[in-house]
């Protein structure tokens, strides 16, 4: 079975692919201090709970946090006796190479999202991923990542307001009843919710204006459906886009003899 690991700046998602489907998806916070042994204890307990055998013979990792890769490599070597594929490393091939400025280290999550989205939806896409940062990835007709946009994430924006202004509390994002807030929390929620609806719509419109063909918009990330309630922002929401992309890249490397 294949273990896919998608490590973001906030959370790390482990999924198990049995050759036909993903059997489970497990989430833990991203902490670079966590050791291979700690990962293994956590993973084996949860797999036992889900009655999934631990016979992993392949591992693929995408990490936006370079420091965590070391311990995930040790996990893979020590407990599964396999060398992991690490997206973004030269030995991990991509179905399409990104076309960006020389020397740019594209976030591996964006390369993975592009590969997953191209496989599912074809080319000429905007992929919007609501993570720690909100990223917009442009996927060309041939499936290559050709650039995009990085915006501050939703929770990061709320946290920044709280940290920078003494009188502003910590609040969670939600769709407010009205635009005009009549208390502090409602005002903050309105600013972030409607501000974000405008941000997503505005950026997608401008990308479409710069791109020479019609594009579809695919969204992913737990917060994506919330913003669709404010306006029709995307054509599809795909919760499993990143793990699908990891599997596609793994299969590609297997076919090429590099995995
Ligand atoms: N379904 C959800 N509802 C509310 N908040 C969510 C949901 N999913 C993720 N988040 C929050 O969104 C932020 C980004 O999470 P995540 O997508 O895991 O980021 P990353 O991939 O960068 O680690 C985090 O603060 C997380 O707690
Ligand atoms: C933009 C990101 C921080 C998003 O990461 P995430 O929100 O998934 O943790 C990540 O893709 C990254 O570190 N990118 C490197 C720069 C780039 O993609 O051009
Ligand atoms: K992510």
């Amino acid at each position: 079975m294949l273990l896919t690991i998608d490590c973001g700046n906030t959370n790390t998602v482990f999924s198990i692919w049995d050759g036909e489907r993903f059997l489970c998806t497990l989430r833990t916070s991203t902490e670079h201090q966590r050791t291979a042994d700690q990962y293994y204890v956590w993973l084996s307990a949860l797999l036992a709970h889900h009655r999934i055998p631990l016979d992993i013979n392949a591992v693929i990792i995408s990490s936006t946090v370079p420091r965590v890769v070391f311990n995930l490599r040790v996990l893979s070597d020590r407990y599964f006796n396999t060398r992991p594929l690490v997206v973004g490393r030269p030995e991990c091939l991509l179905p399409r190479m990104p076309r960006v400025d020389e020397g740019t280290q594209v976030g591996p999550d964006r390369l993975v999202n592009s590969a997953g989205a191209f496989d599912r939806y074809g080319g000429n896409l905007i992929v919007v991923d609501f993570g720690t940062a909100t990223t917009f990835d442009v996927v060309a007709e041939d499936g290559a990542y050709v650039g995009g946009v990085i915006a501050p994430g939703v929770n990061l924006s709320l946290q920044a307001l709280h940290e920078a202004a003494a009188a502003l509390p910590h609040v969670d994002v939600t769709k407010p009843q009205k635009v005009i807030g009549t208390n502090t929390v409602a005002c903050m929620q309105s600013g972030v919710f409607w501000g974000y609806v405008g941000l997503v719509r505005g950026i997608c419109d401008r990308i479409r204006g710069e791109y020479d063909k019609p594009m579809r918009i695919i969204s992913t990330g737990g917060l994506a459906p919330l913003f669709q309630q404010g306006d029709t922002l995307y054509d599809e929401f795909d919760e499993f886009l990143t793990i699908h992309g990891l599997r596609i890249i793994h299969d590609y490397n297997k076919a090429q003899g590099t995995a």
Side-chain angles (χ1 to χ4, degrees), residues 6-10 64-65 104-110 129-135 145 150:
D6 161 28
C7 178
N9 281 285
T10 306
T64 57
V65 185
T104 302
Q105 290 285 328
V106 181
D109 54 327
R110 309 177 76 188
D129 188 336
F130 292 81
T132 309
T134 298
T135 50
Y145 167 86
I150 300 172

Coordinates of all heavy atoms in Angstrom, one line a residue, residues 6-10 64-65 104-110 129-135 145 150, ligand 2:
D6 N 1.1 14.7 3.0 CA 1.0 16.1 2.5 C 1.2 17.0 3.7 O 0.3 17.1 4.6 CB -0.4 16.3 1.9 CG -0.8 17.8 1.8 OD1 0.1 18.6 1.7 OD2 -2.0 18.1 1.9
C7 N 2.4 17.6 3.8 CA 2.7 18.4 5.0 C 2.6 19.9 4.6 O 3.4 20.4 3.8 CB 4.2 18.0 5.3 SG 4.7 18.9 6.7
G8 N 1.6 20.5 5.2 CA 1.5 22.0 5.1 C 2.1 22.7 6.2 O 2.6 22.1 7.2
N9 N 2.0 24.0 6.2 CA 2.6 24.8 7.3 C 1.8 24.6 8.6 O 2.4 24.9 9.7 CB 2.7 26.3 6.9 CG 3.9 26.5 6.0 OD1 5.0 26.5 6.5 ND2 3.7 26.6 4.7
T10 N 0.5 24.3 8.5 CA -0.3 24.1 9.7 C -0.5 22.6 10.0 O -0.3 22.2 11.2 CB -1.6 24.8 9.6 OG1 -1.4 26.2 9.2 CG2 -2.5 24.8 10.9
T64 N 5.7 21.6 2.5 CA 6.0 23.0 2.4 C 6.9 23.5 3.5 O 7.3 24.6 3.6 CB 4.7 23.9 2.4 OG1 4.0 23.6 3.6 CG2 3.8 23.6 1.2
V65 N 7.3 22.5 4.4 CA 8.1 22.8 5.5 C 9.4 21.9 5.4 O 9.3 20.8 5.8 CB 7.4 22.6 6.9 CG1 8.3 23.0 8.1 CG2 6.1 23.3 7.0
T104 N 13.3 29.6 -9.3 CA 12.1 29.6 -8.4 C 11.9 28.2 -7.8 O 11.8 27.2 -8.5 CB 10.8 30.0 -9.1 OG1 11.1 31.3 -9.7 CG2 9.6 30.1 -8.2
Q105 N 11.7 28.2 -6.5 CA 11.4 26.9 -5.8 C 9.9 26.9 -5.6 O 9.4 27.4 -4.6 CB 12.1 26.8 -4.4 CG 13.6 26.6 -4.5 CD 13.9 25.2 -4.9 OE1 13.2 24.3 -4.6 NE2 15.0 25.1 -5.7
V106 N 9.1 26.3 -6.5 CA 7.7 26.3 -6.4 C 7.3 25.4 -5.2 O 7.9 24.4 -5.1 CB 7.0 25.8 -7.7 CG1 5.5 25.8 -7.6 CG2 7.5 26.6 -8.9
G107 N 6.3 25.8 -4.4 CA 5.9 25.0 -3.3 C 5.4 23.6 -3.9 O 4.7 23.6 -4.8
P108 N 5.9 22.6 -3.2 CA 5.6 21.2 -3.7 C 4.1 21.0 -3.7 O 3.6 20.3 -4.6 CB 6.3 20.3 -2.8 CG 6.8 21.1 -1.7 CD 6.9 22.5 -2.1
D109 N 3.4 21.6 -2.7 CA 1.9 21.4 -2.7 C 1.3 21.9 -4.0 O 0.3 21.4 -4.4 CB 1.3 22.1 -1.5 CG 1.7 23.6 -1.4 OD1 2.8 24.0 -1.8 OD2 0.9 24.4 -0.9
R110 N 1.8 23.0 -4.5 CA 1.3 23.6 -5.8 C 1.5 22.7 -7.0 O 0.7 22.6 -7.9 CB 1.8 25.0 -6.0 CG 1.7 25.8 -4.7 CD 2.4 27.2 -4.8 NE 1.5 28.0 -5.6 CZ 1.9 29.3 -6.0 NH1 3.1 29.7 -5.7 NH2 1.1 30.0 -6.7
D129 N -6.2 26.9 -3.3 CA -6.1 26.0 -2.2 C -6.0 26.9 -0.9 O -5.2 27.7 -0.7 CB -4.7 25.2 -2.3 CG -4.6 24.2 -1.2 OD1 -5.2 24.3 -0.1 OD2 -3.8 23.2 -1.4
F130 N -7.0 26.7 0.0 CA -7.2 27.4 1.2 C -6.4 26.7 2.3 O -6.9 25.9 3.0 CB -8.6 27.5 1.6 CG -9.5 28.3 0.7 CD1 -10.0 27.8 -0.5 CD2 -9.8 29.6 1.1 CE1 -10.7 28.6 -1.3 CE2 -10.5 30.4 0.2 CZ -11.0 29.9 -1.0
G131 N -5.1 27.1 2.4 CA -4.2 26.5 3.5 C -3.8 27.6 4.4 O -4.5 28.6 4.6
T132 N -2.6 27.5 5.0 CA -2.0 28.5 5.8 C -2.0 29.8 5.0 O -2.3 30.9 5.4 CB -0.6 28.1 6.2 OG1 -0.7 26.8 6.8 CG2 -0.1 29.1 7.2
A133 N -1.5 29.7 3.7 CA -1.6 30.7 2.7 C -2.7 30.2 1.8 O -3.0 29.1 1.7 CB -0.3 30.9 2.0
T134 N -3.3 31.2 1.1 CA -4.3 30.8 0.0 C -3.5 30.9 -1.3 O -3.0 32.0 -1.6 CB -5.5 31.7 0.0 OG1 -6.2 31.5 1.2 CG2 -6.4 31.3 -1.1
T135 N -3.4 29.8 -2.0 CA -2.6 29.8 -3.3 C -3.6 29.7 -4.5 O -4.6 28.9 -4.4 CB -1.6 28.7 -3.3 OG1 -2.2 27.4 -2.9 CG2 -0.5 28.9 -2.3
Y145 N 2.3 23.5 -14.4 CA 2.1 24.7 -13.5 C 2.9 25.9 -14.1 O 4.1 25.8 -14.4 CB 2.7 24.4 -12.1 CG 2.8 25.6 -11.2 CD1 1.7 26.1 -10.5 CD2 4.0 26.3 -11.2 CE1 1.8 27.2 -9.7 CE2 4.1 27.5 -10.4 CZ 3.0 27.9 -9.7 OH 3.1 29.0 -8.9
I150 N 0.0 34.1 -4.5 CA 0.0 33.6 -3.0 C -0.6 34.8 -2.2 O -0.1 35.9 -2.3 CB 1.5 33.4 -2.6 CG1 2.1 32.3 -3.4 CG2 1.5 33.0 -1.1 CD1 3.6 32.1 -3.1
Ligands
LIG2 C1 2.7 29.3 -0.6 C2 2.9 28.2 0.4 C3 3.5 28.8 1.7 C4 1.6 27.5 0.7 O1 1.8 26.6 1.8 P1 0.6 26.0 2.7 O2 -0.4 27.0 2.9 O3 0.0 24.8 2.0 O4 1.3 25.6 4.0 C5 3.9 27.1 -0.2 O5 3.4 26.6 -1.4 C6 5.3 27.6 -0.3 O6 6.0 27.6 0.6 N1 5.7 27.9 -1.6 C7 7.0 28.4 -2.0 C8 6.9 29.5 -2.9 C9 6.2 29.3 -4.2 O7 5.3 28.4 -4.3 O8 6.5 30.1 -5.2

